[in-house]
Amino acid sequence: MSAPVCEAPRFAVVGNPENRRVTLFADAVRAAGLPAARIVAWADVLRDGGARFDASETVRIDSPGENADVDRQWRGTSDPTRVEGSARWYAGFTAALRGLRGGVRLDDPGELALLFDKRRCHAVLDAAGVPVPASPTSGPGAAPVRGWDDVRALMREHRMPRLFVKPAHGSSASGVLAVESGGAGRIRATTSVELAPDGGLYNSLRVRRYEREGDVAAIVDALAPDGLHLERWLPKASQEGRAADLRVVVVAGRATHAVVRTGRSPLTNLHLGGSRGDLDAVRRAVEAAGGSWPDLLGVCERAAACFPRTLCVGVDLLPAIGWRRAAVGEVNAFGDLLPRLTGLPGSGAEGLDTYAAQIAAVLRERHRTGTTHA
């Protein structure tokens, strides 16, 4: 019996045309010998109140970030470096998702809304048995955080002298504070937030420390109206004296790409001064500790399985000291921007970047089902 013959898929991408995410995906579509992807700009979606796709189009939703006009409409500020306004941004983003009609989606709108609410995402992972840092702000009986006084009270109640305070709808570490308490009531917060003299909060590429509790309180109080999520600060493994974690991309349920991120601060994001570490050294460290590298990747795959209608997610994996165990810190809807990184051995994505791996997964599924659209 002959294999089913499928028409070549037609991709459409909702994104910012000038953004390299869109460019890299479009390049991967062309490299696969497929018709050029149709690009639908987020600015046009906002102007037209939505967008419609043909039933034969396979639709990828890409990040609306790094476009000042789109951000201004959703966040309500003309300054793209301002941290505040993430709740308004979230409301605008989820409303725009509801305005996208038709097509075969690679990203489920409901799951995207979940992924961009750290409290709800954490609760879903926890309920599924995925290891996550303890949190008083997710799941049944989640505690409200109306400001610094609530954070202080929850630190005492849950015996969390070290914790992360995260905007519920933030991304790229924007507004995140790593908070430590010490003797005599001392407080220190590590963050990329710049607190201006007028009380405004601004994103900065420089990680800084605040050691006056009044400054920390001012930042938290300014962020609280947008919603805050608290997580216990788990001590992480290190590589060459630097704190280390991993970004693992999961495509169609399988961990395909991974990068080690190391930093001298608790924030290892590459745009905040973090560096790429040695992935082979991580594998060796895991095995030397009696752990299992496939098991660690399996944690990421279990996290991705909580979002079965979304083709690709980026999982931030927090390896514990000793490298034998790990927890999931974040699951990112748009976590696949890892230029020139090719697939892990045995992943089925060897030689492919994250975008080519996603296209290959769509083609495999079409071939398996014999469908004429993705």
Side-chain angles (χ1 to χ4, degrees):
M1 181 176 178
S2 61
V5 177
C6 304
E7 297 176 4
R10 295 168 52 221
F11 283 97
V13 182
V14 182
N16 296 321
E18 74 282 3
N19 192 289
R20 60 178 175 161
R21 296 173 180 273
V22 172
T23 301
L24 289 168
F25 186 81
D27 289 347
V29 169
R30 285 192 293 270
L34 300 171
R38 180 166 76 98
I39 310 302
V40 178
W42 276 114
D44 293 340
V45 171
L46 297 186
R47 182 197 63 208
D48 299 336
R52 181 171 292 280
F53 300 92
D54 187 81
S56 65
E57 288 184 297
T58 298
V59 183
R60 169 185 169 87
I61 309 299
D62 218 323
S63 170
E66 301 179 38
N67 182 291
D69 291 337
V70 172
D71 196 65
R72 179 172 58 250
Q73 291 191 58
W74 283 345
R75 194 175 294 273
T77 175
S78 59
D79 189 338
T81 67
R82 286 300 289 263
V83 179
E84 307 96 310
S86 59
R88 178 171 173 170
W89 179 95
Y90 178 76
F93 174 61
T94 52
L97 291 175
R98 293 192 294 271
L100 304 178
R101 300 174 294 278
V104 180
R105 307 298 181 85
L106 299 183
D107 319 83
D108 179 77
E111 292 184 352
L112 287 177
L114 196 62
L115 287 163
F116 273 94
D117 187 325
K118 298 183 192 301
R119 299 162 299 192
R120 295 172 59 207
C121 182
H122 183 282
V124 167
L125 295 170
D126 193 32
V130 176
V132 288
S135 170
T137 55
S138 76
V145 182
R146 293 154 297 203
W148 176 244
D149 288 345
D150 286 344
V151 173
R152 270 297 221 173
L154 290 168
M155 290 172 71
R156 290 190 296 268
E157 179 183 348
H158 293 270
R159 297 181 181 178
M160 297 170 66
R162 303 170 81 237
L163 80 164
F164 280 87
V165 179
K166 303 179 178 182
H169 309 298
S171 61
S172 302
S174 175
V176 173
L177 297 93
V179 178
E180 306 169 80
S181 61
R186 291 192 303 272
I187 288 289
R188 180 170 70 178
T190 304
T191 180
S192 63
V193 172
E194 179 182 352
L195 176 63
D198 65 359
L201 308 182
Y202 295 85
N203 277 312
S204 168
L205 295 180
R206 181 171 72 85
V207 175
R208 63 196 71 213
R209 289 185 171 88
Y210 293 94
E211 298 191 349
R212 289 184 61 253
E213 183 168 356
D215 291 336
V216 178
I219 295 172
V220 172
D221 288 346
L223 291 174
D226 286 320
L228 291 174
H229 176 57
L230 311 184
E231 290 181 347
R232 186 180 297 278
W233 179 345
L234 301 180
K236 290 191 294 190
S238 62
Q239 187 173 92
E240 296 185 355
R242 297 162 63 94
D245 58 26
L246 293 92
R247 166 64 59 84
V248 179
V249 175
V250 181
V251 177
R254 191 164 188 180
T256 57
H257 298 73
V259 63
V260 185
R261 308 181 303 185
T262 70
R264 300 195 183 282
S265 83
L267 306 177
T268 58
N269 302 68
L270 300 179
H271 72 284
L272 295 178
S275 302
R276 287 196 181 188
D278 186 335
L279 188 62
D280 289 333
V282 167
R283 290 197 195 100
R284 292 193 296 270
V286 171
E287 292 164 1
S292 165
W293 174 244
D295 285 352
L296 288 190
L297 294 181
V299 171
C300 301
E301 292 172 350
R302 287 164 55 198
C306 294
F307 310 97
R309 296 182 298 279
T310 297
L311 176 69
C312 175
V313 295
V315 180
D316 289 347
L317 191 68
L318 313 178
I321 292 174
W323 291 104
R324 293 194 60 179
R325 294 181 300 278
V328 171
E330 304 269 355
V331 181
N332 303 273
F334 306 128
D336 54 3
L337 182 61
L338 297 171
R340 298 179 299 279
L341 183 70
T342 54
L344 295 165
S347 68
E350 297 90 342
L352 303 178
D353 69 10
T354 58
Y355 301 106
Q358 291 170 67
I359 293 165
V362 171
L363 295 176
R364 284 196 303 271
E365 179 63 13
R366 288 166 56 86
H367 183 78
R368 185 184 70 81
T369 62
T371 55
T372 56
H373 57 79

